[in-house]
Every structure is written in C-alpha cells, then in structure tokens.
Amino acid sequence: AQQRMWFINQFDPDSAGYNLPTVLRLTGDLDLDALHSAVVAVVARHEALRTTFPSDDGVPHQKIARASSAGARLDWDVVESREQLEAAVAAGFDVTRQWPIRVRVWPAMENEHVVAVITHHIASDGESMAPMVTDMVTAYLAELEDRDPDFAPLPVQFADYALWQHRELGSTDDPDSVVGRQLGFWKETLTGLPDLVELDR
C-alpha cells in the first residue's frame, strides 16, 4: 500500500488528495510550548511520522529519521488566520523528502485555539487518528506537570509491520507468491468482462 501511495505521490506531490487532517478546537488556556513539546514527543515515539520515502533507481525505500531530530525537523507553525490554517491542510507532501506530518495552531480568539494535525495517508489512516490524539493529550498533560509521558508500550512500529507484510505476501512480480497468486486469480476471473458493467437495480 505504501508503494502505491508513493507512486501516486510522485505524479503530483502538491495534491492534498491523500492528506488526513485532524482539526481540534481547544478552549481555555493553552500552553503552546507544552503543546509543541507534546507533538515532538509523539513524532519521536512513532517512527512512521518521521519517515521519508526516497528512491534508488525508481525503487522507494523507507528512511526513518532519528527520534532526537524530531524537535528540529517538525513542520510546526502558529498561524495568524483561518486562511493560513486551511492552506496548510490543502498543501500536499513530497514524501521523498518531507515527513508525513505538519501541525498548525491558530489562536482563533481569546482562550480558543484551533489545532490542525495533517498527516499523509502513506503513514496514517483513519484508525490512526484517535491513538495519535490520545498520545498528544498524554504528552501535553505530562509536559504541564513537568514529567515524562506515561505512554503505553509499542510492541511494534509500522515499518516492522510493512516489512512483515511484504515478506509474507511477496511481490506482484512473483506469480508463486501469495499476492502474485491472488493477482493471477483475479486477472483470470475478470478476463473478458467489459470495461463498464451495468448493474440492475
């Protein structure tokens, strides 16, 4: 799936078609420094959020940045308007060189902030949003109390899962692999069907 996302991204890195924005409206006092530190902690915790996908001879590979670089490389900004917030949501990612996360904070009015966490689908999906926000809240509260966040242990990182999946399913170029057999089955099953199938109601 990441290879497909990479391939599509290379056609149009400016497209926001695979952006996954999580937008939160926060009321009350907000410690921006603590929030920034919390996001840095989450990015350091999750390798997928600090992974780029450069290529060698057109073949992409994962390049996971050091956790210690999260603070310096995080794409974070406090913006002055809703338009700037929306522009960040609508901007694409070049996954060959940019981390698949950006964060914008807009002080909408007194004691009210809008926080947009935008990720690219190459590193996250709909199921990722709730755990990511939970980790951000955990880290933010820990920052306010001047302690390390009490994160639940991560038994595996996404890169480990992706490598396991590739190893188990194999390559589409290998007709004897799991994915190769599935592809062969569906090619044979669908052979001869018209490009458009009319369905009766």
Side-chain angles (χ1 to χ4, degrees):
Q2 284 186 321
Q3 288 175 327
R4 287 194 300 273
M5 288 288 168
W6 180 88
F7 187 74
I8 292 168
N9 180 258
Q10 295 315 285
F11 278 108
D12 188 6
D14 295 327
S15 170
Y18 287 96
N19 286 8
L20 296 174
T22 301
V23 182
L24 309 169
R25 185 175 294 273
L26 308 178
T27 56
D29 293 334
L30 181 67
D31 185 325
L32 285 173
D33 290 336
L35 180 62
H36 178 264
S37 295
V39 177
V40 167
V42 171
V43 172
R45 171 173 161 78
H46 296 282
E47 291 178 350
L49 298 177
R50 48 188 165 84
T51 297
T52 53
F53 298 83
S55 65
D56 293 321
D57 298 323
V59 179
H61 62 273
Q62 297 186 36
K63 183 177 179 183
I64 302 169
R66 291 174 294 108
S68 60
S69 68
R73 291 189 56 185
L74 176 65
D75 186 353
W76 159 282
D77 199 10
V78 178
V79 297
E80 298 178 353
S81 68
R82 178 180 179 139
E83 289 73 24
Q84 289 177 311
L85 189 83
E86 291 172 346
V89 171
F93 290 89
D94 180 351
V95 300
T96 63
R97 59 181 186 80
Q98 290 177 293
W99 285 1
I101 183 171
R102 76 172 61 96
V103 181
R104 297 294 183 268
V105 182
W106 172 40
M109 59 184 66
E110 187 176 355
N111 291 325
E112 186 170 299
H113 292 75
V114 179
V115 179
V117 182
I118 306 103
T119 57
H120 190 278
H121 194 26
I122 200 167
S124 63
D125 58 20
E127 294 293 321
S128 307
M129 301 299 101
M132 181 179 66
V133 171
T134 298
D135 278 356
M136 283 177 53
V137 171
T138 298
Y140 178 73
L141 295 175
E143 283 293 328
L144 293 181
E145 297 173 4
D146 194 26
R147 60 177 174 80
D148 292 331
D150 187 19
F151 289 133
L154 288 176
V156 67
Q157 292 279 356
F158 186 77
D160 301 316
Y161 172 78
L163 291 171
W164 169 84
Q165 185 183 56
H166 185 71
R167 185 175 65 248
E168 292 298 311
L169 297 182
S171 169
T172 56
D173 297 330
D174 178 4
D176 294 324
S177 69
V178 173
V179 71
R181 291 194 304 271
Q182 285 289 314
L183 188 60
F185 169 81
W186 285 110
K187 280 184 176 178
E188 182 178 336
T189 301
L190 300 175
T191 296
L193 286 178
D195 291 338
L196 180 63
V197 178
E198 297 290 345
L199 300 177
D200 294 330
R201 287 194 220 180

